[in-house]
C-alpha cells in the first residue's frame, strides 16, 4: 500500500507521467510485493523559482 | 501541534475545505489532545494527470 | 482518493490513532465526496527533539 | 532533479530497497530526462498502527 | 544530503526565495555538516483557501 | 505560517537541531516576513538504507 510522491520541475507531458507511473508501479509491485491496486503515485510540480540545489535556485542556474 | 497535509484532486470549493478543516481540527483536538491553535491543515491539490492509482493516471480512468 | 498525512509528536496510543482515522475518513468521505476505500491516512511520529515552533524545540519548551 | 519519496509499511529488506531505487532511478532518468546524479529517493517506513485505508488501520485489517 | 521542503502561502518574490535558499543552505552546511551540492530546497506555495490553523482557513482570518 | 520539513540522515545531535531550528526560523522571519510563533520546523531522520542518490543507497556509497 505504498505512496510514491514525486517532486519535480514542471514541464513533463502527460505521456511522460503515464510511463513513469507504469514503471514505478511495476517496480513497487514486483520488488516490494505491494498490491497493485493499492499503489498511489502523485506528482508535485514546481517552478524553477521554487527548486534549488547547492544554494542556487534552478531559475538562476543557466545564467 | 500536529500538521495535517491533504493531497487530493483539485476541484473542491472553499466551503468544502472549510468544513474539512473544522472537522479534522476537532478530531485532532478531541482524540489526540492537541492544542487547537497549534493544529495546521494544508491542502495540496493536484490535477488528474498528476495522480495515479493501480498504475493508471486519474485522467485515463474514465476512458 | 485523498491522502491525509499527519505529523505529530510520538506517544499517541493505537486507539487514539484508530479514532482519528475513523473521524478523518468520515470527514473526507462526507465533505469532499471521496470514495471511502480510496482514502489513505498515515501518521509520521516525531520526537520532541525533531519538532519545533517559534524557533524552539519541543524538548526545550518545558524547561 | 526529482525527489521521489516513498511511504510504505516497514519490513522490506535493504536488498528490496536497493532494487526499488535502481528501477525508479532508471525510470526517472529515461522517461523524465532527469540527470541521474540529481535523482533522490527516500523511504519513510511506518508501522501497521500508522497506516490506514478505508478508515481502518492496517493493524486491524487481518482481525 | 538533506531535503528542505517549505510549505507557505503564495506571494513571496523570487528574490525572497533566493535569500531563503542561501541562508537555509548555509545553515544546513555549517550546522549539520551537509555537503553543499547535495542540499535541496523546495517551495510548495499554497493559497489562503488551502492553509488553515486553529480550525480556520487563512482566507477567513481577516474577516 | 510556514512549515519547514527537513529529511536527513539520522545522527545529528539535539544541539545541531537546535541551531538549525534557530537559524532557519530567523531566515523565515526575516526574509519571508513570517510571524515567528507560526513557523514550524520538523526533522524526518532516515537510515542509510532509506536514502539514495544517483540510484545508489547511502549504505552502499562507501563500499
Amino acid at each position: 500500500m505504498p505512496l510514491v510522491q514525486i517532486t519535480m520541475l514542471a514541464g513533463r507531458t502527460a505521456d511522460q507521467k503515464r510511463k513513469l507511473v507504469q514503471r514505478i508501479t511495476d517496480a513497487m509491485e514486483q520488488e516490494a510485493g505491494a498490491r497493485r491496486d493499492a499503489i498511489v503515485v502523485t506528482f508535485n510540480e514546481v517552478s524553477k523559482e521554487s527548486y534549488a540545489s547547492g544554494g542556487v535556485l534552478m531559475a538562476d542556474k543557466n545564467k
Side-chain angles (χ1 to χ4, degrees), chain A:
Chain A
M1 217 149 273
L3 312 181
V4 181
Q5 295 174 292
I6 300 170
T7 302
M8 61 183 187
L9 290 177
R12 270 73 176 201
T13 65
D15 199 52
Q16 284 180 296
K17 292 181 191 173
R18 188 175 288 117
K19 286 174 183 163
L20 284 169
V21 160
Q22 290 169 345
R23 288 181 63 171
I24 290 170
T25 303
D26 287 350
M28 294 305 301
E29 186 182 24
Q30 293 163 12
E31 306 298 348
R35 189 165 58 83
R36 190 170 187 86
D37 279 354
I39 301 166
V40 172
V41 180
T42 68
F43 296 97
N44 177 33
E45 295 176 289
V46 296
S47 73
K48 289 190 176 185
E49 294 181 353
S50 290
Y51 202 113
S53 67
V56 181
L57 293 178
M58 299 309 289
D60 294 337
K61 293 247 175 179
N62 299 318
K63 290 181 180 175

